[in-house]
Amino acid sequence: MQDLILNNDKKIPLIDYGVYQIPKEDTYRCVKKALEIGYRLIDTASTYLNEEEVGRAIRDSKVLRRDIFVVTKVWVSDFGEEKTKIAIEKSLNRLNIGYIDLVLLHQAYGDYYGAYRALEKFYKNGSVKSIGVSNFYTDRLLDLYMNMEIKPMVNQIECHPFFQRKEDIELMQKLNIIPMAWGPLAEGGHDIFNNEVLKEIGAKYNKSNAQVALRWNTMRNVVVIPKTVNELRMKENFTIFDFNLNDDDIEKINKLDTNKTEIIDHHNLEVIRMLNTFKYE
Ligand code: NAP
C-alpha cells in the first residue's frame, strides 16, 4: 500500500474503493470485503444513499477505525453555510463512526463558498479531519483557493487514460491539492477493458487493462477510487504496486487522451441545470 500526504500532513492511500451506484443492500458486503482485501479508504457521498451501510461495515470490520479513511460529499442542494452544517451533521449521524476523514463539496455550483465555510468550521472543531472539493475545474479551484482560509486538501475529478486532465493536475500539484480520480476506469467507457494499447502494455507485466490504467494514474501521484461489486476485481484493482510502467508505456498511454469527458460534461448547460436541481432525499 502506498500513501500520499495531504497539505495538513495526514496520509491518504493511493488505491481506494468507491461505492457510487452500489445499491444499499450490497454496500455492507462490498465495503467489508474491500477492507478485508486491504483497501483503507472508502469513498461515498450523501447522494449515493449508502452512508449508513458504509458506516455499519466499518464498525463491524476488524480493521481499526483510525486505520480507515472515509470520504463523503455534500450535495449542491445542501450548499450554503447553515444548510451545509445540517448536511454534515446528517452524514456524521448516518455514518456513525465518530468523525469523517474527508468531506468534499460534490460540485462547483450554487453557494459553494458558504458551504466551504461550513466545512472549515467542522475542520476546526475536529469532527472532520480534512476538507476539499470535487469537480472543480481550474478557474473555480484557484478562485476558491485564493479566498479561503483553510486550503482544500483534495479535488476529486473525472480522470482516466481518455480524459487525463494534465493541466488540472499540474495546477493542483502546484497548489499542494491532491488530485483524486473518479471514474478511473472511465466507467467502462471507450471499451477500456479491451483497449489494444493497454492490453499490449499489460501483457508485458501480466496485468489487466484495469491494472495498467490504475497504475498509470498512481504513478503520477493521482489517487484512484475504482468501484466494483466483484471480489476478484476488487483484488485485481488493488494489486497494482508490484509493477512499474516505463517511459515508453507512459508515452503510449498519454496518446490515448481525448481531452474530453467520457461521462459528464460540466460545461453543458443542460447538465448544469440538472445538477443544480437534482435532489437526493
Ligand atoms: P469506475 O470505477 O471507473 O468504473 C466502474 C465500472 O467498472 C463498473 O461497471 C465496474 O463493474 C467495472 N469494473 C471495475 N473494476 C473492473 C475490472 N477490474 N475489470 C472489469 N470491470 C471493472 O467508475 P465510477 O464508479 O464512476 O468511479 C469510481 C468511484 O468514483 C465511484 O464509486 C465514486 O466513489 C466516485 N465517483 C465520484 C464522482 C464525483 O462526482 N465526485 C462521480 C462518479 C464517481 P462491476 O462493479 O460489475 O465490477
Side-chain angles (χ1 to χ4, degrees), residues 92-105:
L92 277 162
N93 281 333
R94 284 191 293 259
L95 283 160
N96 190 16
I97 46 174
Y99 57 88
I100 304 173
D101 295 276
L102 172 64
V103 175
L104 305 176
L105 300 184

Side-chain angles (χ1 to χ4, degrees), residues 11 34 60 84 92 113 123 167 180 200 225 230 246 279:
K11 278 189 195 166
D60 289 356
T84 299
L92 277 162
Y113 270 89
Y123 180 71
E167 282 167 17
M180 191 177 207
E200 194 187 302
I225 45 172
N230 177 289
N246 64 32
K279 298 223 168 6

Side-chain angles (χ1 to χ4, degrees), residues 17-21 43-44 48 73 106-107 134-135 156-157 181-188 193 208 210-211 225-230 233 236-237 263 266:
Y17 186 65
V19 299
Y20 176 47
Q21 290 175 328
D43 180 77
T44 184
Y48 302 172
K73 312 182 193 84
H106 210 143
Q107 305 283 349
S134 174
N135 296 307
Q156 186 181 114
I157 56 169
W182 69 256
L185 302 172
E187 290 188 355
F193 302 119
S208 68
Q211 288 170 315
I225 45 172
K227 167 264 174 188
T228 175
V229 293
N230 177 289
R233 292 198 280 273
E236 176 185 328
N237 296 345
I263 300 158
H266 284 95

Side-chain angles (χ1 to χ4, degrees), residues 216-234:
W216 165 78
N217 244 334
T218 57
M219 279 187 68
R220 52 183 201 152
N221 286 332
V222 174
V223 170
V224 289
I225 45 172
K227 167 264 174 188
T228 175
V229 293
N230 177 289
E231 184 180 339
L232 287 178
R233 292 198 280 273
M234 278 185 207

